[in-house]
Amino acid sequence: MSREDWRTGSIPELPLLRKQKFNKQKGASMAEKTPVTYTLLQLRTGKRWTQKEAAKKLGVSESTLSKWENAIRFPTMDQVWVIEDTYEVPLSGINFLPENTVKPYKNKQAS
């Protein structure tokens, strides 16, 4: 299946893939259902690259990479494909929102 198939939505086997995925996960434990993901910072440091080296390989500025790593900004889909190729990790293995940036929702209702 190519990237073009995903862009155009021409994936005839998608319903079958969803059914197979459901059948596989039916008896699985929660640990098996949760895929292992890595943040952009973890991927970069795992390769032992500096921010400058990684930014050059990704074709963006150091500032942009820093904003991605800190979840201030997010890459476009075309940039995500470059990230996948550069770090050699599929999209499902990348976490673009590090846990330390997730803030709980606070409902501010007027009394």
Side-chain angles (χ1 to χ4, degrees):
M1 187 174 341
S2 70
R3 290 182 179 157
E4 190 60 34
D5 292 336
W6 285 102
R7 284 188 201 156
T8 60
S10 60
I11 309 168
E13 65 273 30
L14 192 57
L16 178 62
L17 291 173
R18 286 184 181 144
K19 185 176 181 184
Q20 289 172 347
K21 184 177 177 182
F22 176 78
N23 289 338
K24 284 181 186 175
Q25 291 182 350
K26 200 172 184 179
S29 70
M30 184 56 107
E32 293 172 319
K33 290 181 184 178
T34 307
V36 176
T37 60
Y38 301 97
T39 64
L40 291 176
L41 178 63
Q42 290 172 326
L43 291 170
R44 179 176 60 80
T45 55
K47 294 274 189 182
R48 297 179 187 252
W49 292 339
T50 64
Q51 228 174 24
K52 186 175 186 175
E53 291 170 329
K56 185 175 181 181
K57 292 175 190 279
L58 294 169
V60 296
S61 68
E62 288 178 64
S63 172
T64 299
L65 180 57
S66 175
K67 288 176 184 175
W68 289 353
E69 288 180 352
N70 293 303
I72 296 168
R73 299 249 185 231
F74 298 95
T76 64
M77 209 53 217
D78 289 335
Q79 292 167 328
V80 168
W81 291 328
V82 173
I83 292 168
E84 285 180 312
D85 293 340
T86 304
Y87 289 123
E88 300 172 347
V89 175
L91 177 59
S92 61
I94 303 173
N95 179 3
F96 291 99
L97 191 60
E99 290 153 15
N100 61 352
T101 62
V102 178
K103 296 181 176 106
Y105 174 75
K106 293 181 183 176
N107 191 355
K108 298 178 181 178
Q109 293 181 347
S111 298

